[in-house]
Amino acid sequence: MRKQPWKTSVEIEEVENRHYVRVIEDGVISVKGFPSREDAADFARGEQARLGLISRRGPFLKQS
């Protein structure tokens, strides 16, 4: 099954000095908070690769 962009994505957002990764997988949203942008970006890249949105060495993620 092909992933539909509006149903599957990974995004990073900063709110009040905390970095959040929002993972949308088949329309289900989960959010995880991190103290640093680097930690959030590492987690987000792993999730993008797991979902097949990028390869492990692929481009950086979309930022809201």
Side-chain angles (χ1 to χ4, degrees):
M1 182 174 101
R2 275 184 56 160
K3 303 267 184 214
Q4 297 181 12
W6 59 272
K7 281 189 160 184
T8 305
S9 70
V10 178
E11 303 165 351
I12 289 182
E13 190 169 335
E14 182 179 355
V15 179
E16 296 184 14
N17 297 324
R18 190 139 167 97
H19 303 274
Y20 293 91
V21 177
R22 179 175 37 247
V23 178
I24 305 170
E25 184 174 1
D26 294 328
V28 177
I29 301 170
S30 59
V31 178
K32 185 169 182 177
F34 295 90
S36 74
R37 175 139 179 91
E38 292 79 23
D39 291 342
D42 287 343
F43 177 77
R45 275 191 289 275
E47 287 297 291
Q48 285 181 320
R50 181 182 69 80
L51 294 170
L53 300 174
I54 63 165
S55 67
R56 287 269 179 200
R57 297 180 186 184
F60 192 63
L61 54 108
K62 177 171 74 174
Q63 184 175 1
S64 329

